[in-house]
Amino acid sequence: MKRKISRRTGLKLMTAGTLMGLGARGGASAGTAPLPTRDGWDTTHDRVFLGGAFWANPMEDWCVSEGGAECLSMGGGRSVHSLTHQVTQNGAFTMSVLLTRLETGKTDGGAGFRIGIRSEINEYRSNCFVQKGINAGWQGDQLLLGPKNVPLKDGSALKQVRLTLEGRPEGAQSVLTLTARAVDSDTVLAALSHEFGADAILGNVSIANNFAAGAVAGAKKNSNNGKAKAGAAGAGRYRFQNWSLHGAAFKVSQENSFGPILWSMYSLSDSRTDEGFVMKLSVLTAPLGAKDAKVVSLLVQEGGRWKSLGKAELDPDAWVATFRIPKWNAKQATPYKVVYQEFPKVGMHAITHEWEGIIKANPEGRPLRMAALTCQNDYGFPYAPVAENLLKLDPDLVFFSGDQIYENHGGFGIIREPAERAILNYLRKFYQHGWAFREVMRNAPTLCLPDDHDVFHGNIWGEGGMKMRAGGDTSSDGGYIEPAKMVNVVHKTNVAHHPDAYDPKPVLQDISVYYGDMVYGGVSFAIIADRQWKSGPQHVQTGAGRGDHVEDANFDTSTLDKPGLVLLGERQEEFLKKWAQDWRGHTLKAVLSQTVFANVATHHGGPDGYLKADLDSGGWPQTPRNRAVEIMRPSMALHINGDQHLTTLTQYGVDKQRDSNWSFCTPAISAGYPRWWLPDEIKMPHENRPKHGLPDTGEYVDGLGNKAYVYAVGNPVVGQAPNRYEKAHEKGSGFGFITFDTEKKTYYIESFRFLIDVKDGKAANQFPGWPLTIHQKENRGENVIA
């Protein structure tokens, strides 16, 4: 866990499909014959988390039980990947496992090994979500190996079998042999061999429960409990014990382990009180068991020695431990480490797990540099071009504005209830966020806002914490559909390390809040939840179609601006009013929230999918939108946001064009649902196009009637490339970067594309219209830019 990601300069490897792991180095290399590696489940307490060497698909359907990894579901395509062992060459190898059949449906779905599992980029994390490969195992009364099968004597009646899969190279082929043995006598019950091309065995290896993925593995539907019915055809449940792996074909990379400490996030803020700078740090672990330790320690390095700053208990739902350290010395960078002591079963020595990083010094006497990111659709996972470019830039602050997950993350659908299983379902998806970006988060303050997809909504209209009506639509009905307990876990995993909330009083259903400020590097950041109080579309009529979409170009959207509708809510408005007038300890301000306060998209879903208005944008409701902008105006703050999957640079207008704050909506890390801003195509009136003359820019009245000066937009093309990174690039993915110059009082704004090298200086690395420098006073309408 002490590894650092290597900073490769070439991006060709990313698209050529030869990456074998971000920062993978050390360990035994291919061509050596390391000692056999065993799973260790026999010494592990019963729990959900199988161990740092494994990734379970899906996590919530597996547990350690009776000394093995037990599948809890009869659904298809369940598997456990080795993170530390990948086949990288045509060499000899052996895997073995003890299989116990626990339950079957009308017919057995089979279980055993799968090898040759790889995505189009053959990267160990991306490989974990591939359902294809060579199956080798036991199914009913048959032994299966790829296209072959042979009878297994009394196979349907057997309860246990020991499987061994061996590979040996023969020229350009790999000969695989699968053997089934009786557990008590070691008698060979059946065996078969088959030749495969050497390339066919390359990639991840896994154990598999129910070989056929069926509709379950890739499902994007809702589920009440995530379990298939016990009577389903082609279904079974197995326990796997003593899984061992060894041989020269494997590249062994222990640094690929993920857990029990997964990652950390921290913030550093000038409280402007007797507490001085306050450092808050959260440690995220995998879900542990009843008999596991629940305490994490924090240490810092002083004078070359490690000094303890105390211990924190893990939250048993969110699996987060949070530290709050006042009077932090912010004048110097401080190495830290978090420590978790794992105590296996009786008679075993404790195992110490550590995760290290740097608490940066407060940036003084120089500009503050912030990375701004949003929206991670996992077709682009693990987003290596973005993650590596962030490491090259080494930002002072990292901001994720929401949608760290989508419902389709990792496959296997979503679980609505009960809360406990919904939480595990969420955590498994959220862990992909940390898996991709933990290397930058360990060394930089990080702010991480939850948004709609994080709580399993297409759109969220929080209505102050209201429970959604029974049968409500998660795109166009107000309130939360998920149990409040799950929503609070989402909040805790994202924001536990944020500076203290301005007013921590929960909203309806006892759902937590997190709005407040952070003062760092001479900049004050207002952290806002722009949808937690927002009214839902059920209060208005938008015509035909979805309740949150206006499809008719002739529809009068002023009718949607009804009295009493809410955007930010009274509590956040009151906070912003005070914050805008408070200039202690800083000279620049920024507002951080989920989305842009304008309707800067004309087409949704496809380049022909015209929408006049989308109520999910922060441009609705119009009156509270205008009020929010008017409250922000005295702060002269830059509004930094995301969510739209479409990067834009816009200046708000209320009484007239360009009289208020600028907004930077960042590109999606990996854009899914596409949007376009194509006002020229639909002959939308505009005035005062910027001097750069780029299309689709100028002063507009958006589809909701809001004044918006669009200076730059990064429209995508239709994503069609088979390579995930090339597809993300086509779809307008990337990230934002803002440099706050507190002496010149300027914001230097950059919007980078996805598949670029941020250090090569090419102008095409950024979307058209970027970079741009904005002066502070332009955020109250004193404009310089033309």
Side-chain angles (χ1 to χ4, degrees):
M1 289 186 181
K2 296 180 181 180
R3 68 183 179 92
K4 293 182 178 179
I5 286 181
S6 62
R7 301 188 180 191
R8 294 184 299 278
T9 57
L11 290 172
K12 291 182 180 178
L13 290 178
M14 296 176 182
T15 57
T18 59
L19 291 181
M20 279 307 300
L22 199 62
R25 66 183 189 202
S29 60
T32 65
L35 295 174
T37 299
R38 289 183 54 198
D39 55 54
W41 293 322
D42 57 336
T43 62
T44 302
H45 294 296
D46 290 359
R47 65 189 188 192
V48 171
F49 176 54
L50 300 185
F54 309 105
W55 179 266
N57 286 316
M59 179 184 76
E60 61 270 19
D61 284 350
W62 291 87
C63 71
V64 178
S65 177
E66 299 186 29
E70 180 177 327
C71 187
L72 303 174
S73 173
M74 299 281 278
R78 270 59 182 174
S79 62
V80 176
H81 284 242
S82 171
L83 299 181
T84 58
H85 289 65
Q86 284 77 42
V87 176
T88 59
Q89 68 173 13
N90 186 15
F93 72 89
T94 302
M95 290 195 293
S96 66
V97 72
L98 171 62
L99 273 180
T100 301
R101 182 187 279 154
L102 302 173
E103 186 179 3
T104 60
K106 295 177 181 177
T107 59
D108 181 19
F113 305 108
R114 183 176 289 138
I115 72 167
I117 312 167
R118 62 184 184 274
S119 71
E120 82 285 0
I121 61 172
N122 194 11
E123 188 272 345
Y124 77 102
R125 292 167 297 177
S126 68
N127 293 348
C128 287
F129 305 100
V130 174
Q131 289 287 337
K132 297 178 181 179
I134 300 170
N135 294 327
W138 169 30
Q139 185 172 13
D141 60 359
Q142 298 289 306
L143 198 63
L144 311 176
L145 178 59
K148 287 186 177 179
N149 60 283
V150 297
L152 177 63
K153 184 180 179 182
D154 299 324
S156 296
L158 288 172
K159 294 297 182 184
Q160 286 188 319
V161 166
R162 188 180 306 279
L163 294 180
T164 302
L165 180 65
E166 298 175 292
R168 72 177 190 276
E170 285 194 5
Q173 302 293 305
S174 178
V175 178
L176 302 186
T177 300
L178 179 66
T179 305
R181 290 181 170 86
V183 174
D184 51 355
S185 65
D186 206 35
T187 302
V188 174
L189 302 176
L192 76 166
S193 298
H194 189 68
E195 283 191 359
F196 296 87
D199 288 349
I201 69 169
L202 302 180
N204 282 21
V205 298
S206 78
I207 52 177
N209 190 103
N210 292 327
F211 288 124
V216 181
K220 298 180 182 179
K221 61 185 179 181
N222 299 345
S223 170
N224 285 332
N225 57 26
K227 292 185 178 181
K229 294 181 179 179
R237 280 202 316 113
Y238 287 79
R239 182 182 300 120
F240 299 75
Q241 295 169 273
N242 300 324
W243 182 17
S244 68
L245 311 91
H246 66 98
F250 286 118
K251 178 178 181 181
V252 182
S253 306
Q254 297 297 342
E255 66 272 21
N256 288 357
S257 294
F258 188 48
I261 300 175
L262 302 175
W263 78 95
S264 60
M265 295 185 284
Y266 72 89
S267 68
L268 184 61
S269 182
D270 183 359
S271 71
R272 296 159 297 169
T273 68
D274 291 343
E275 289 191 315
F277 275 84
V278 176
M279 194 280 291
K280 291 183 70 176
L281 181 143
S282 61
V283 183
L284 294 94
T285 72
L288 301 170
K291 295 184 179 180
D292 283 315
K294 308 295 193 305
V295 175
V296 177
S297 301
L298 173 64
L299 299 92
V300 294
Q301 197 172 71
E302 291 184 0
R305 295 185 177 183
W306 288 105
K307 173 186 175 182
S308 174
L309 294 185
K311 299 180 179 181
E313 292 279 340
L314 286 162
D315 181 289
D317 296 317
W319 298 104
V320 173
T322 307
F323 296 87
R324 186 183 186 278
I325 313 295
K327 299 183 179 180
W328 183 266
N329 182 2
K331 293 188 176 296
Q332 64 182 32
T334 302
Y336 73 91
K337 68 178 176 181
V338 292
V339 179
Y340 174 73
Q341 290 269 31
E342 183 177 7
F343 297 92
K345 291 182 178 178
V346 176
M348 303 298 297
H349 293 292
I351 303 170
T352 299
H353 302 276
E354 297 182 351
W355 175 258
E356 297 184 14
I358 301 290
I359 306 295
K360 289 183 181 291
N362 179 51
E364 290 183 311
R366 64 172 179 84
L368 169 71
R369 302 165 63 253
M370 183 178 89
L373 307 99
T374 192
C375 298
Q376 305 171 41
N377 194 302
D378 82 335
Y379 76 84
F381 179 81
Y383 329 112
V386 172
E388 289 199 347
N389 277 324
L390 290 179
L391 288 170
K392 291 176 183 179
L393 288 167
D394 188 23
D396 299 308
L397 176 63
V398 180
F399 170 50
F400 295 94
S401 67
D403 292 345
Q404 281 66 254
I405 69 161
Y406 283 82
E407 292 86 335
N408 58 291
H409 254 53
F412 300 94
I414 60 173
I415 298 173
R416 291 287 185 206
E417 56 184 9
E420 290 72 21
R421 282 189 56 76
I423 287 168
L424 289 176
N425 181 243
Y426 158 75
L427 289 175
R428 182 254 300 177
K429 297 172 187 292
F430 185 64
Y431 292 161
Q432 289 183 236
H433 164 62
W435 212 5
F437 292 107
R438 63 180 184 159
E439 292 299 335
V440 69
M441 292 190 288
R442 72 155 95 205
N443 293 327
T446 300
L447 297 173
C448 192
L449 304 184
D451 200 9
D452 41 21
H453 293 282
D454 298 296
V455 291
F456 296 171
H457 276 250
N459 297 315
I460 185 69
W461 326 82
E463 299 267 8
M466 182 182 78
K467 179 73 175 174
M468 181 180 283
R469 66 179 177 85
D473 184 282
T474 57
S475 289
S476 53
D477 271 310
Y480 292 84
I481 193 171
E482 290 297 307
K485 185 176 183 180
M486 181 270 195
V487 175
N488 283 336
V489 164
V490 173
H491 287 186
K492 179 163 283 191
T493 51
N494 281 275
V495 308
H497 64 288
H498 280 202
D500 299 344
Y502 176 78
D503 174 8
K505 180 183 177 181
V507 292
L508 297 175
Q509 299 191 79
D510 206 31
I511 290 175
S512 60
V513 302
Y514 52 85
Y515 69 93
D517 69 344
M518 182 174 90
V519 177
Y520 175 69
V523 181
S524 181
F525 298 91
I527 302 162
I528 294 297
D530 63 29
R531 288 166 167 155
Q532 191 166 10
W533 278 268
K534 185 172 179 175
S535 300
Q538 75 273 13
H539 299 290
V540 296
Q541 295 295 323
T542 57
R546 279 174 44 169
D548 56 321
H549 285 175
V550 177
E551 300 176 4
D552 183 357
N554 297 315
F555 185 90
D556 181 4
T557 53
S558 68
T559 63
L560 305 177
D561 191 18
K562 289 189 173 182
L565 295 179
V566 173
L567 180 59
L568 299 184
E570 292 181 2
R571 289 172 60 182
Q572 292 193 119
E573 288 181 354
E574 184 62 29
F575 158 68
L576 277 177
K577 288 176 184 177
K578 293 182 178 179
W579 173 81
Q581 301 298 329
D582 183 356
W583 288 93
R584 294 173 300 148
H586 64 280
T587 58
L588 285 178
K589 290 180 182 286
V591 172
L592 308 180
S593 80
Q594 285 81 0
T595 198
V596 56
F597 293 171
N599 188 70
V600 196
T602 55
H603 294 73
H604 294 235
D608 298 323
Y610 170 76
L611 280 184
K612 180 173 184 178
D614 179 13
L615 275 58
D616 181 52
S617 76
W620 181 84
Q622 297 95 320
T623 292
R625 174 269 186 189
N626 288 338
R627 187 165 62 246
V629 173
E630 288 174 330
I631 291 170
M632 287 197 304
R633 187 187 297 128
S635 73
M636 298 181 286
L638 174 66
H639 183 199
I640 305 168
N641 51 78
D643 177 66
Q644 293 296 304
H645 312 171
L646 176 64
T647 185
T648 56
L649 195 54
T650 306
Q651 187 175 16
Y652 300 139
V654 177
D655 296 321
K656 63 181 181 178
Q657 288 282 4
R658 305 190 62 189
D659 65 4
S660 300
N661 310 71
W662 281 75
S663 160
F664 177 31
C665 181
T666 70
I669 296 168
S670 181
Y673 182 81
R675 293 183 177 91
W676 285 260
W677 170 251
L678 300 172
D680 289 359
E681 181 178 298
I682 60 174
K683 307 271 191 274
M684 192 171 175
H686 74 274
E687 295 181 353
N688 299 322
R689 181 151 287 176
K691 284 185 178 180
H692 57 52
L694 292 171
D696 303 310
T697 61
E699 295 175 358
Y700 294 90
V701 175
D702 71 23
L704 288 162
N706 302 303
K707 297 176 179 65
Y709 174 64
V710 180
Y711 182 86
V713 60
N715 281 315
V717 298
V718 176
Q720 296 178 325
N723 179 281
R724 65 189 61 202
Y725 294 158
E726 293 173 354
K727 182 178 181 180
H729 191 84
E730 290 173 341
K731 296 184 73 170
S733 306
F735 66 98
F737 208 84
I738 304 98
T739 302
F740 301 82
D741 192 321
T742 54
E743 290 188 6
K744 295 180 180 178
K745 297 186 178 180
T746 60
Y747 307 83
Y748 181 68
I749 304 170
E750 301 176 273
S751 189
F752 289 105
R753 296 181 182 273
F754 186 91
L755 194 57
I756 57 108
D757 182 346
V758 75
K759 288 296 187 178
D760 67 15
K762 294 179 180 178
N765 287 348
Q766 300 203 40
F767 290 95
W770 283 271
L772 179 69
T773 298
I774 293 174
H775 293 78
Q776 181 185 45
K777 291 184 178 180
E778 292 187 85
N779 286 309
R780 65 182 182 194
E782 298 178 26
N783 296 313
V784 176
I785 296 166

